[in-house]
Amino acid sequence: MSSSILHPTASLKPHREESLLGGHLWIFSGALQQPPHWIEPGGLVDVKSSTGQFVARGYYNPRTDIAIRILTHDLEEAIDAEFMRRRIRSAVELRQVFDPTRTNTYRLIHSEGDGLPGLVVDRFAEILVAQIHTAGMQRLRPLLSDALVEETGVRGLLLRNDSQSRRREGLEIEGPEVAAGDVSAQVLVRENGVQFLVDPWQGQKTGFFLDQRDKREALRKYARGKRVLDCFSYTGGFSVYAALSSGETRVTSVDISAPAIEAARQQFALNGLDPDRHQFLIANVFDYLEQARSNGEQFDVVVLDPPAFAKTQIARTQALKAYRRLNMLGMQVLRPGGILLTCSCSGVIGMDDLLGALSQAAQRLQRPVQLLETYTHGVDHPINLAMPETAYLKAVFCRVG
Ligand code: SAH
């Protein structure tokens, strides 16, 4: 069997192989009995149990708490161009659930969830935008471009290696770079039949937040003919859906980013909506809500989709307070019987935490809350069942009395 060992080996402490055999893809440095020798950060490594059995193959980084991320549990599977194509083909097959005449934008590769740790690829019509988050995936980059373009038939691939998380891995923050074909300044996409212009070069993350697609669709029915407040609107994802639900609906979009708010206006026009019948505000949501509360403003529907308040376990307590405060403020501008959509994209905050913050807010304000619908990610953000800790998005629709 050892004849198929292909790379430097790392050995685990006793019994540390169990979660890996269950499909988990991370090995923390504390689980290693013997780290691999003579290996560059991000280099490939074969992992053995304490009794010397092959367990998995992955890549190693001595700088990070997660020392090894697993790419395969199959001794015979080499990490080569064919491996990359198999993983990408499998990801492409899952996304065939989307009818391209209605939805031609989705996450194509969701890192661990698609068996490619450290890689995120979003599809915007005929363009792919990729982000490499780890040293190991960076080393596999030569295998990526051809496989991604050929397996999807897209016109261009843009690399957006500007995530701050790269520093932890010892990687540089890079500017956007065309890795294949050509990539225009803006891309027109369809999501559930709604049109959006995406800026893959300068937009936040890859240009558009695809993980809210199903929640945006769910919002439509609550928004018909209503006054809707979209907090942290970015380029108006929720706002456009709401405004399209009925000619009577009036939407206020609030975001701290001026370019995002400008883009939101454009999305309205693009979808045949008159932006002048709606409000677009560049503001800090917390300040805006306090002001709106003092002015006695009341909305029928409030959307709260803030950025991640906590990126680490240490920041959790502070983040829970921030969620509570935000949800209180949201409820205070919501008329009795109004609908609140509250979201959290902090990985360290669970659904129970979000519901806890929500119920504390409700208790303090003495407002009864009826839970209506709960959501996580869309189907294009699959979560490896063995790694529930990689799930990050929670969204709750409720009615606040
Ligand atoms: N709901 C959006 C995505 C929101 S992402 C969609 O469906 O596309 C989070 C947004 O919050 C970003 O656009 C960011 O600019 C904005 N933001 C971050 N902090 C903010 C603050 N304090 N006040 C207002 N907007 C903020």
Side-chain angles (χ1 to χ4, degrees):
M1 222 169 125
S2 60
S3 63
S4 294
I5 289 287
L6 298 173
H7 306 288
T9 57
S11 58
L12 297 170
K13 291 178 180 165
H15 307 297
R16 294 301 183 95
E17 69 278 13
E18 282 156 19
S19 73
L20 299 177
L21 296 173
H24 207 286
L25 301 182
W26 293 346
I27 301 174
F28 288 92
S29 51
L32 292 180
Q33 184 74 51
Q34 186 70 58
H37 295 299
W38 311 112
I39 179 171
E40 298 277 314
L44 292 171
V45 58
D46 283 338
V47 182
K48 288 181 175 177
S49 68
S50 59
T51 54
Q53 300 293 308
F54 173 87
V55 180
R57 176 169 294 140
Y59 57 72
Y60 174 68
N61 192 342
R63 297 174 63 116
T64 47
D65 289 345
I66 302 172
I68 298 173
R69 292 179 195 246
I70 302 304
L71 294 162
T72 181
H73 294 84
D74 179 357
L75 177 64
E76 304 305 329
E77 186 169 39
I79 309 306
D80 55 15
E82 263 316 300
F83 159 84
M84 196 57 85
R85 280 179 192 270
R86 276 192 301 277
R87 289 287 189 276
I88 294 170
R89 255 179 242 141
S90 163
V92 167
E93 187 191 344
L94 173 64
R95 278 69 180 180
Q96 284 168 0
V97 293
F98 294 111
D99 167 4
T101 64
R102 284 182 53 75
T103 299
N104 65 0
T105 185
Y106 44 78
R107 177 148 295 184
L108 177 68
I109 307 282
H110 188 49
S111 207
E112 276 82 0
D114 282 300
L116 289 172
L119 179 67
V120 162
V121 182
D122 284 346
R123 180 165 190 161
F124 299 111
E126 298 310 312
I127 296 299
L128 297 178
V129 181
Q131 290 185 309
I132 294 173
H133 292 287
T134 59
M137 195 46 71
Q138 184 83 19
R139 288 177 75 97
L140 297 177
R141 189 184 144 170
L143 305 180
L144 278 176
S145 301
D146 287 353
L148 278 170
V149 171
E150 286 166 24
E151 296 301 331
T152 59
V154 293
R155 203 182 68 225
L157 167 65
L158 186 71
L159 274 178
R160 282 284 302 268
N161 285 335
D162 51 12
S163 151
Q164 289 302 319
S165 64
R166 287 171 61 89
R167 293 198 199 281
R168 281 201 301 274
E169 291 273 333
L171 296 172
E172 303 282 311
I173 308 290
E174 299 169 0
E177 180 194 330
V178 176
D182 64 284
V183 178
S184 49
Q186 290 195 306
V187 188
L188 182 64
V189 301
R190 279 186 301 278
E191 185 191 83
N192 293 318
V194 181
Q195 303 206 76
F196 290 98
L197 261 182
V198 174
D199 178 347
W201 291 82
Q202 289 170 53
Q204 294 186 29
K205 302 274 173 71
T206 59
F208 195 63
F209 293 91
L210 295 164
D211 52 7
Q212 293 289 26
R213 179 188 317 101
D214 48 341
K215 280 69 72 182
R216 294 187 187 119
E217 180 70 39
L219 177 70
R220 290 191 205 240
K221 60 184 176 293
Y222 299 111
R224 262 178 238 128
K226 299 291 185 351
R227 283 197 68 197
V228 179
L229 173 64
D230 182 7
C231 296
F232 310 95
S233 65
Y234 186 50
T235 56
F238 284 104
S239 301
V240 178
Y241 276 71
L244 283 173
S245 69
S246 143
E248 302 305 309
T249 301
R250 293 291 172 268
V251 183
T252 301
S253 307
V254 186
D255 199 283
I256 206 160
S257 152
I261 285 293
E262 184 45 41
R265 267 185 163 276
Q266 287 177 17
Q267 318 285 12
F268 273 61
L270 186 67
N271 286 280
L273 298 160
D274 177 0
D276 293 337
R277 297 170 72 121
H278 302 271
Q279 254 194 318
F280 299 88
L281 304 173
I282 302 162
N284 180 326
V285 161
F286 289 90
D287 298 343
Y288 166 80
L289 286 173
E290 281 181 3
Q291 192 65 49
R293 179 184 59 186
S294 345
N295 297 345
E297 287 205 48
Q298 295 273 280
F299 293 88
D300 305 302
V301 179
V302 172
V303 176
L304 302 173
D305 182 22
F309 287 155
K311 296 225 162 82
T312 61
Q313 283 293 343
I314 304 154
R316 250 174 66 86
T317 318
Q318 275 308 106
L320 287 172
K321 279 192 193 147
Y323 284 113
R324 186 176 67 209
R325 175 152 175 259
L326 178 63
N327 281 282
M328 282 179 72
L329 284 166
M331 286 182 193
Q332 286 172 312
V333 298
L334 193 61
R335 70 153 167 89
I339 300 293
L340 177 68
L341 166 58
T342 185
C343 311
S344 162
C345 61
S346 307
V348 295
I349 300 288
M351 181 61 99
D352 288 351
D353 297 319
L354 179 63
L355 291 175
L358 185 62
S359 72
Q360 284 176 7
Q363 256 175 29
R364 290 193 180 193
L365 297 173
Q366 293 285 295
R367 304 271 302 262
V369 170
Q370 294 168 292
L371 288 181
L372 305 177
E373 302 182 60
T374 56
Y375 287 83
T376 57
H377 319 70
V379 295
D380 52 339
H381 293 63
I383 300 299
N384 177 335
L385 179 64
M387 304 181 74
E389 67 273 36
T390 57
Y392 65 92
L393 186 60
K394 289 78 45 189
V396 178
F397 284 90
C398 54
R399 186 167 71 156
V400 181

